[in-house]
Amino acid sequence: LATQAHGRRKGTVQRLLERAISFAREKGSNYVNLFVDPTNTRAIALYRRVGFIEVGEKDQMLDMRINLRS
């Protein structure tokens, strides 16, 4: 997800991310993965707040996951 400068820091991306997670859960997914530039500390902080954890790296990108099942 990306936003233009005037749309940042308003919770829009967090709401979109939470809706995507809810959709994945409704469809029976076990987890959601995303990849983020490891220098994008704001995005990483947001993903952590939502519940994502770091699970590795791929192609110089940080791989993060949120498990949807216990």
Side-chain angles (χ1 to χ4, degrees), residues 24-65:
R25 197 175 267 126
E26 290 166 11
K27 296 300 178 185
S29 297
N30 293 322
Y31 58 87
V32 174
N33 270 69
L34 61 80
F35 295 92
V36 61
D37 183 325
T39 65
N40 191 343
T41 56
R42 282 188 173 172
I44 293 167
L46 168 64
Y47 300 146
R48 286 180 178 152
R49 279 195 309 274
V50 171
F52 284 82
I53 60 169
E54 298 167 23
V55 294
E57 287 188 26
K58 182 176 182 180
D59 299 327
Q60 299 176 344
M61 299 293 281
L62 186 60
D63 183 4
M64 299 185 78
R65 173 182 291 184

